[in-house]
């Protein structure tokens, strides 16, 4: 199994920056393949923000391209989301997700960290 813990959320003014971290632990961290950041705003569905594969390939939602950067440190099973030029519409609970190289595929979620962008 894998446990994921996010940190780094908080209150920031529009135009500000935050860096989210996600630490993976457990006996199956070596099976982690793709890691993702999702977010869910009040009254909205959870949406994919960014994704990174084991070879470092990243994809981003159009709404965050050019502002958010996702990175990963495989040795330490850690993942980061650098968020710059934050906007009020970025306000949400941010979750990290890990997808394992197992059959059937196993997915694990963190508990989420709140990001609030407001003046």
């Amino acid at each position: 199994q894998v446990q994921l813990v996010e940190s780094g959320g908080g209150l920031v003014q529009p135009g500000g920056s935050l860096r989210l971290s996600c630490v993976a632990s457990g006996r199956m961290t070596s099976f982690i393949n793709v890691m993702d950041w999702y977010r869910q705003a009040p009254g909205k569905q959870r949406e994919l923000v960014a994704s990174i594969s084991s070879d470092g390939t990243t994809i981003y939602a159009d709404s965050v391209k050019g502002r958010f950067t996702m990175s990963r440190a495989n040795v330490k099973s850690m993942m980061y989301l650098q968020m710059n030029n934050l906007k009020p519409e970025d306000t949400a609970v941010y979750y990290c997700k890990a997808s394992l190289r197992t059959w059937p595929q196993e997915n694990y979620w963190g508990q989420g960290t709140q990001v609030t962008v407001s003046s």
Side-chain angles (χ1 to χ4, degrees), residues 39 41 44 47 63 67 86-92 94 117:
R39 66 186 181 187
K44 295 187 177 181
E47 63 174 355
S63 59
R67 301 188 297 121
L86 283 161
K87 304 175 180 180
E89 51 264 41
D90 295 318
T91 296
Y94 284 71
V117 185

Side-chain angles (χ1 to χ4, degrees), residues 67-85:
R67 301 188 297 121
F68 290 12
T69 302
M70 184 175 183
S71 60
R72 180 173 174 181
N74 286 330
V75 174
K76 296 183 178 181
S77 297
M78 295 189 69
M79 177 174 68
Y80 308 96
L81 185 67
Q82 177 67 42
M83 306 186 293
N84 298 328
N85 190 21

Side-chain angles (χ1 to χ4, degrees), residues 88-99:
E89 51 264 41
D90 295 318
T91 296
V93 178
Y94 284 71
Y95 299 90
C96 66
K97 175 189 172 187
S99 300

Side-chain angles (χ1 to χ4, degrees), residues 5-109:
V5 178
E6 303 98 333
S7 62
L11 173 65
V12 64
Q13 292 185 343
S17 299
L18 282 175
R19 188 191 193 209
L20 304 184
S21 299
C22 176
V23 180
S25 62
R27 64 183 181 88
M28 295 188 71
T29 54
S30 60
F31 289 83
I32 293 175
N33 185 16
V34 176
M35 298 188 79
D36 309 303
W37 283 101
Y38 281 76
R39 66 186 181 187
Q40 187 166 20
K44 295 187 177 181
Q45 290 188 330
R46 191 172 297 189
E47 63 174 355
L48 178 65
V49 175
S51 180
I52 188 166
S53 64
S54 56
D55 66 0
T57 302
T58 53
I59 59 171
Y60 298 94
D62 288 342
S63 59
V64 306
K65 281 181 181 177
R67 301 188 297 121
F68 290 12
T69 302
M70 184 175 183
S71 60
R72 180 173 174 181
N74 286 330
V75 174
K76 296 183 178 181
S77 297
M78 295 189 69
M79 177 174 68
Y80 308 96
L81 185 67
Q82 177 67 42
M83 306 186 293
N84 298 328
N85 190 21
L86 283 161
K87 304 175 180 180
E89 51 264 41
D90 295 318
T91 296
V93 178
Y94 284 71
Y95 299 90
C96 66
K97 175 189 172 187
S99 300
L100 274 56
R101 287 187 295 268
T102 56
W103 185 259
Q105 181 177 290
E106 297 178 30
N107 299 307
Y108 295 90
W109 293 84

